[in-house]
């Protein structure tokens, strides 16, 4: 199949005064053309750092220590800042949790959209406006002609996120990285935005990396899921397979902790303990101090490999 | 009043005047000066009876008035209209001093365990403070014993009493917030999004803890959350709010199986379900502002069943089969 993005053995470090912390640990991933991949995991697992590393936006004290990122066969991880700028917002777009992080509050929506197009192409003003209107229609903003001259604060949270999506479509990217795009929104609005992303990925043939902590949301939108824990991918597989037949004890724990999976007497299944901070990740398997299956062999680091279920799992105890 | 009712909320109304400085209230139009205040109508006549030992949850979109309702019930905001009863005593109109005994029986747990614990106090100090305040006569040994007991109850090693909040994880801090509420032996706890800031694997720990404590201490909860699958799991009854009004109040099972109000139906269908393709009912239009409430049913601007009556007349709560209370003309007229 056509590979859109391939990440090989990526390591991202934060160098602090006294120590170096590894936030992304030996991650390998790929996204096929028009494929939707979900990255799930709890807070601090390294999802955002991974997302930013793909477009080389990790800033000090963080840096990519080793590994490569390939976009359609080009090794973009070795690109200069200038080369990378042409990739970002052009072939890869990124959507964040807070739309106001991307939108400039003192510019109208139209000004911001035109600016984005003009940074990547030269066109007549009329053509630029036509594209802006077309994209706003795609994200179902009613009467976009009137909306172009309005400021971000004149829109609701859900509409702002739609506008961000419209902006990210302007350059016809082949990949969108969406980092918790609906976490700040209400369920009814969240459902609309997710529908929209899904629809656009299909009609525009875009790949999607959806970063979220919400298993239910990824399970509805993506075809494949990677589960991150303490900087590493512990399980990766086809969405249905992973949801219905999780293999890694952590994935099992996460799914089992959902209220729908509570036991008869009403108790929820909890994973004991908490995910350790980067400075305290145990040696060997990073999950072993919370894992009920942990044995001596877990003192050595398990590799992510294909198991009998068909998913890739990093666990010594899974066959 | 029904002897089993612990807290009774009657037609509670809470408005916020956000006019600003005194000059901001003047408007000049049509050659005349008029006065106009800007008022947020956060809670508009909500009534809920919470029975002893049950969990009633309040759900609804951001800004619909859940936290305002909780804070008004707790007496943190004065109500404009309506009453709050604790057992048989009306408490919303009490003076600070008269209210004192009720403050111990009613406690609140907040969403953000980071903001609600004083970073300069040790866990021991945090937990001793409310005990000293409500039971000033208790001797040192008894206070220490009580602190150790509540720490144990929430699953934190009592030896940690010398630690500071920043040394704890989010889940552990939320345990301490719950422990602090327990120190004064409350009967009623209002929990405003107590797990929203926590990770899934930790949410289960805190929910289990809350359910255990409810059983052991016979606690009554008013639980506020936007996570509907959690609400379905832990509540006996659920109140759905929209723009400051209650549109439906029902037994949890009934509500999730047979939602009656068009808004409840849309809300439930939007919950993402594990592994199932989305098939939610689309709502159109934005939520109106609580500063300019629409006339008639507050939901009519987004409701696909709205008719002329809905646009003019405010629907009243009506009890339908299954004991569900629902405020909808469509349901009343039998067309829904
Ligand atoms: N500038 C920094 N300096 C030091 N450590 C950092 C820095 N930025 C991130 N980290 C660490 O990297 C780890 C991964 O962080 P990241 O933001 O990727 O988590 P996440 O999975 O996106 O979490 P969330 O769900 O909360 O967004 C965390 O432990 C975080 O503390
Ligand atoms: N102290 C205040 N002053 C002015 N307006 C307020 C105040 N507190 C709340 N409001 C307004 O009252 C309405 C209800 O707010 P409230 O915080 O109760 O909503 P909520 O349902 O708890 O929302 P969320 O889910 O976001 O916590 C909102 O429009 C809010 O802006
Ligand atoms: S009263 Fe009318 S507008 Fe309101 S929810 Fe019922 S049908 Fe819809
Ligand atoms: Mg993140
Ligand atoms: Mg609130």
């Amino acid at each position: 199949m056509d590979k859109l993005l391939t990440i090989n053995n990526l390591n991202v470090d934060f160098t602090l005064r006294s120590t170096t912390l590894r936030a992304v640990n030996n991650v390998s991933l790929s996204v096929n053309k028009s494929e939707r991949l979900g990255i799930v995991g709890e807070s601090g697992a390294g999802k955002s750092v991974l997302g930013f590393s793909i477009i080389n936006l990790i800033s000090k004290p963080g840096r990519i220590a080793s590994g490569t990122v390939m976009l359609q066969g080009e090794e973009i991880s070795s690109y200069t800042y200038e080369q990378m700028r042409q990739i970002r917002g052009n072939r890869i777009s990124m959507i964040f949790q807070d739309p106001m992080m991307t939108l400039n509050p003192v510019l109208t929506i139209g000004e911001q959209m035109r600016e984005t197009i003009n940074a990547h192409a030269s066109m007549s003003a009329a053509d630029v406006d036509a594209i802006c209107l077309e994209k706003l229609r795609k994200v179902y903003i009613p009467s976009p002609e009137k909306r172009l001259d309005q400021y971000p604060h004149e829109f609701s949270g859900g509409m702002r996120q739609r506008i961000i999506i419209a902006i990210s479509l302007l350059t016809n990217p082949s990949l969108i990285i969406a980092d918790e795009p609906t976490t700040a929104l209400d369920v009814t609005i969240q459902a609309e935005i997710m529908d929209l992303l899904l629809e656009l990925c299909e009609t525009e043939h875009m790949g999607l990396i959806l970063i979220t902590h919400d298993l239910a949301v990824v399970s509805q939108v993506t075809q494949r899921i990677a589960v991150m824990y303490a900087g590493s991918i512990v399980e990766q597989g086809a969405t249905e397979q992973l949801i219905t037949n999780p293999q890694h004890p952590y994935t099992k724990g996460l799914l089992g902790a959902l209220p729908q999976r509570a036991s008869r007497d009403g108790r929820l299944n909890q994973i004991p303990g908490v995910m350790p901070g980067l400075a305290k990740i145990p040696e060997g398997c990073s999950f072993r101090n919370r894992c009920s299956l942990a044995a001596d062999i877990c003192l050595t680091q398990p590799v992510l490999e294909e198991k009998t279920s068909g998913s890739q799992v990093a666990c010594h105890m899974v066959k | 009043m029904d002897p089993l009712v612990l807290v009774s909320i009657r037609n509670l109304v809470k408005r916020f005047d956000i006019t600003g400085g005194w000059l901001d209230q003047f408007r000049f139009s049509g050659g005349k000066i008029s006065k106009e205040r800007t008022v947020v109508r956060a809670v508009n006549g909500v009534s809920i009876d919470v029975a002893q030992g049950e969990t009633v949850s309040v759900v609804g979109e951001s800004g619909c008035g859940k936290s305002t309702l909780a804070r008004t019930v707790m007496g943190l905001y004065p109500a404009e209209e309506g009453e709050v009863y604790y057992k048989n005593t009306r408490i919303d109109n009490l003076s600070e001093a008269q209210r004192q005994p009720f403050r111990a029986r009613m406690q609140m747990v907040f969403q953000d365990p980071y903001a609600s614990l004083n970073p300069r106090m040790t866990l021991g100090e945090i937990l001793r403070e409310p005990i000293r305040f409500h039971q000033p006569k208790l001797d040192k040994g008894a206070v220490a014993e009580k602190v150790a007991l509540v720490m144990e109850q929430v699953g934190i090693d009592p030896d940690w009493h010398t630690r500071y909040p920043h040394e704890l994880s989010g889940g552990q801090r939320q345990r301490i917030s719950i422990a602090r509420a327990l120190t004064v032996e409350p009967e009623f706890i209002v929990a405003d999004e107590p797990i929203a800031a926590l990770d899934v694997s930790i949410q289960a720990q805190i929910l289990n803890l809350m359910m255990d404590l409810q059983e052991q201490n016979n606690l009554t909860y008013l639980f506020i959350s936007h996570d509907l699958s959690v609400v379905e799991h832990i509540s006996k009854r659920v109140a759905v709010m929209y723009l400051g009004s209650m549109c439906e109040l029902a037994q949890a099972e009934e509500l999730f199986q047979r939602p009656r109000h068009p808004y409840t139906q849309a809300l439930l269908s939007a919950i993402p379900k594990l592994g199932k393709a989305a098939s939610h009912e689309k709502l159109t239009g934005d939520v109106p502002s609580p500063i300019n409430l629409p006339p008639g049913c507050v939901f009519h601007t987004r409701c696909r069943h709205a008719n002329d009556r809905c646009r003019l007349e405010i629907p009243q709560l009506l009890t339908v089969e299954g004991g569900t209370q629902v405020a909808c003309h469509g349901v009343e007229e039998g067309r829904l």
Side-chain angles (χ1 to χ4, degrees):
Chain A
M1 220 184 260
D2 254 1
K3 287 271 183 277
L4 175 59
L5 185 85
T6 316
I7 302 172
N8 282 315
N9 306 99
L10 191 72
N11 286 298
V12 180
D13 287 350
F14 285 97
T15 310
L16 307 178
R17 236 178 312 145
S18 46
T19 48
T20 295
L21 302 175
R22 180 143 289 184
V24 170
N25 184 10
N26 204 25
V27 164
S28 298
L29 268 183
S30 66
V31 182
N32 293 324
K33 199 164 169 289
S34 311
E35 188 186 31
R36 299 181 299 274
L37 169 77
I39 297 181
V40 294
E42 50 197 284
S43 188
K47 305 181 297 292
S48 297
V49 171
L50 175 60
F52 281 106
S53 312
I54 294 171
I55 50 174
N56 215 334
L57 269 187
I58 292 295
S59 55
K60 284 212 166 97
R63 67 182 186 95
I64 295 181
S66 60
T68 55
V69 180
M70 316 269 289
L71 179 68
Q72 290 161 321
E74 297 168 46
E75 191 185 328
I76 58 172
S77 45
S78 63
Y79 275 11
T80 61
Y81 185 81
E82 209 31 57
Q83 285 175 305
M84 202 56 214
R85 238 180 43 128
Q86 282 307 311
I87 302 269
R88 275 198 295 268
N90 199 355
R91 288 162 63 192
I92 303 180
S93 278
M94 196 153 176
I95 301 171
F96 305 99
Q97 173 173 346
D98 180 3
M100 288 312 266
M101 216 167 107
T102 326
L103 291 172
N104 185 336
V106 301
L107 295 181
T108 66
I109 297 306
E111 285 165 339
Q112 305 192 40
M113 295 185 86
R114 291 179 197 115
E115 202 172 74
T116 308
I117 300 180
N118 292 332
H120 295 282
S122 52
M123 267 183 247
S124 74
D127 287 348
V128 169
D129 274 19
I131 295 179
C132 294
L133 294 176
E134 179 211 327
K135 303 300 180 192
L136 287 175
R137 272 186 208 108
K138 279 216 163 100
V139 299
Y140 302 108
I141 297 283
S143 28
E145 309 79 14
K146 292 189 196 123
R147 294 301 210 160
L148 270 183
D149 296 325
Q150 292 189 318
Y151 292 90
H153 70 90
E154 296 176 68
F155 294 85
S156 68
M159 282 178 106
R160 279 183 215 141
Q161 202 58 296
R162 284 169 192 280
I163 287 166
I164 295 286
I165 296 176
I167 293 178
S168 67
L169 293 177
L170 287 171
T171 54
N172 303 314
S174 43
L175 176 67
I176 290 198
I177 302 174
D179 190 354
E180 309 265 8
T182 57
T183 308
L185 304 172
D186 280 313
V187 272
T188 53
I189 320 274
Q190 164 175 306
E192 282 171 31
I193 298 287
M194 282 301 163
D195 272 5
L196 178 65
L197 267 178
L198 188 61
E199 178 191 321
L200 290 171
C201 283
E202 274 168 2
T203 57
E204 315 290 299
H205 308 290
M206 292 184 303
L208 174 71
I209 296 183
L210 177 63
I211 296 174
T212 169
H213 61 271
D214 192 328
L215 280 159
V217 168
V218 273
S219 77
Q220 292 190 337
V221 175
T222 65
Q223 294 142 335
R224 224 148 39 80
I225 296 180
V227 180
M228 269 188 103
Y229 185 80
S232 307
I233 290 179
V234 295
E235 180 160 1
Q236 190 188 164
T239 298
E240 200 184 328
Q241 167 75 18
L242 194 132
I243 296 287
T244 54
N245 190 16
Q247 297 292 311
H248 195 283
Y250 176 64
T251 319
K252 283 187 179 167
L254 270 188
L255 286 161
L258 296 173
Q260 301 85 296
R261 305 273 166 96
S263 64
R264 274 271 175 79
D265 64 358
R267 285 189 66 80
L268 301 167
N269 307 303
Q270 57 189 58
I271 308 177
V274 296
M275 190 175 74
L278 294 183
K280 294 193 182 131
I281 298 177
E283 265 188 50
C285 172
S286 52
F287 187 60
R288 75 178 157 81
N289 57 351
R290 298 175 78 186
C291 181
S292 59
L293 300 180
D296 286 347
I297 189 177
C298 304
L299 290 164
T300 59
Q301 195 166 338
V303 288
L304 187 69
E305 57 189 5
E306 191 164 322
K307 305 282 182 174
T308 49
S309 70
S311 297
Q312 294 183 324
V313 187
C315 173
H316 295 294
M317 307 309 262
V318 175
K319 293 281 164 310
Chain B
M1 190 181 300
D2 188 332
L4 294 176
V5 172
L6 183 65
V7 174
S8 176
I9 305 165
R10 301 277 177 85
N11 294 314
L12 209 62
V13 173
K14 177 66 207 164
R15 295 184 281 259
F16 295 103
D17 189 326
I18 54 163
T19 311
W22 70 274
L23 259 181
D24 299 329
Q25 60 184 303
F26 295 104
R27 299 275 180 290
F28 190 78
S29 70
K32 269 194 284 188
I33 295 178
S34 63
K35 254 172 137 181
E36 192 182 301
R37 308 201 63 90
T38 311
V39 174
V40 181
R41 305 187 47 183
V43 174
N44 298 308
V46 170
S47 301
I48 306 173
D49 279 347
V50 186
Q52 186 100 46
E54 78 170 337
T55 299
V56 176
S57 292
V58 181
V59 301
E61 285 169 271
S62 183
C64 71
K66 305 181 294 295
S67 298
T68 304
L69 175 71
R71 286 163 176 266
T72 313
V73 169
M74 291 299 290
L76 300 174
Y77 292 146
E80 263 71 48
E81 285 169 40
E83 299 117 53
V84 179
Y85 292 87
Y86 194 88
K87 290 185 177 156
N88 286 312
T89 315
R90 182 165 171 196
I91 57 168
D92 59 280
N93 56 355
L94 297 183
S95 69
E96 234 0 78
Q98 289 170 319
R99 208 183 160 93
Q100 207 48 55
F102 296 97
R103 290 221 190 274
R105 286 189 239 165
M106 306 169 74
Q107 287 286 310
M108 190 152 174
V109 175
F110 297 90
Q111 167 171 354
D112 190 353
Y114 300 85
S116 60
L117 299 178
N118 185 337
R120 280 181 291 278
M121 284 163 76
T122 64
L123 305 187
E125 285 162 353
I126 289 170
L127 297 174
R128 282 195 290 275
E129 196 178 46
I131 307 178
R132 292 242 166 85
F133 183 74
H134 287 286
Q135 293 167 286
K137 294 201 186 78
L138 222 56
D139 69 64
K140 241 182 154 178
V143 173
E145 222 168 83
K146 197 162 216 175
V147 167
L149 179 78
V150 291
M151 288 181 83
E152 230 153 60
Q153 277 192 318
V154 300
I156 301 267
D157 186 344
D159 287 346
W160 285 23
H161 68 94
T162 52
R163 298 199 182 189
Y164 287 89
H166 71 86
E167 297 175 62
L168 306 185
S169 69
Q172 288 169 331
R173 282 182 233 205
Q174 198 56 292
R175 285 172 193 269
I176 293 295
S177 310
I178 294 172
R180 181 176 54 186
L182 292 177
T183 52
V184 294
E185 293 169 26
E187 297 169 311
F188 179 64
I189 291 186
V190 173
D192 189 357
E193 309 259 12
I195 56 163
L198 305 174
D199 278 309
V200 198
S201 79
I202 312 302
Q203 287 185 356
Q205 295 176 5
I206 297 295
L207 288 170
N208 278 340
L209 172 67
M210 288 186 67
M211 291 188 284
D212 290 346
L213 292 171
Q214 178 166 46
E215 218 175 279
Q216 287 158 22
N217 303 9
N218 190 27
L219 294 172
T220 304
Y221 289 137
L222 186 66
F223 186 88
I224 292 169
S225 177
H226 61 264
D227 187 332
L228 290 150
S229 47
V230 166
V231 164
E232 177 174 18
H233 184 71
I234 71 151
S235 326
K236 178 136 181 290
R237 289 187 303 142
V238 180
V240 183
M241 282 182 75
Y242 184 83
L243 259 188
S245 301
M246 190 164 77
C247 42
E248 185 159 358
L249 174 65
Q251 299 285 330
E253 256 185 62
E254 190 69 23
L255 187 102
F256 282 89
Q257 268 165 29
R258 273 203 295 172
R260 308 294 172 84
H261 197 283
Y263 175 64
T264 315
Q265 290 171 355
L267 188 67
L268 296 191
S269 77
I271 309 176
K273 288 182 196 69
L274 207 54
K276 287 206 193 90
S279 64
H280 60 91
E281 191 184 306
K282 289 200 173 74
L283 280 181
T284 47
D286 284 334
V287 187
S289 150
I291 296 171
N292 290 307
L293 282 185
C297 170
V298 280
F299 186 56
H300 86 250
T301 58
R302 295 170 84 196
C303 180
R304 55 196 177 113
H305 307 289
N307 62 13
D308 285 344
R309 185 178 172 213
C310 301
R311 286 181 269 274
L312 291 171
E313 189 187 322
I314 298 177
Q316 301 300 315
L317 276 178
L318 163 95
T319 305
V320 297
E321 71 200 274
T324 297
Q325 293 181 52
V326 53
C328 169
H329 294 309
V331 173
E332 191 210 298
E333 291 160 10
R335 56 188 171 89
L336 278 180

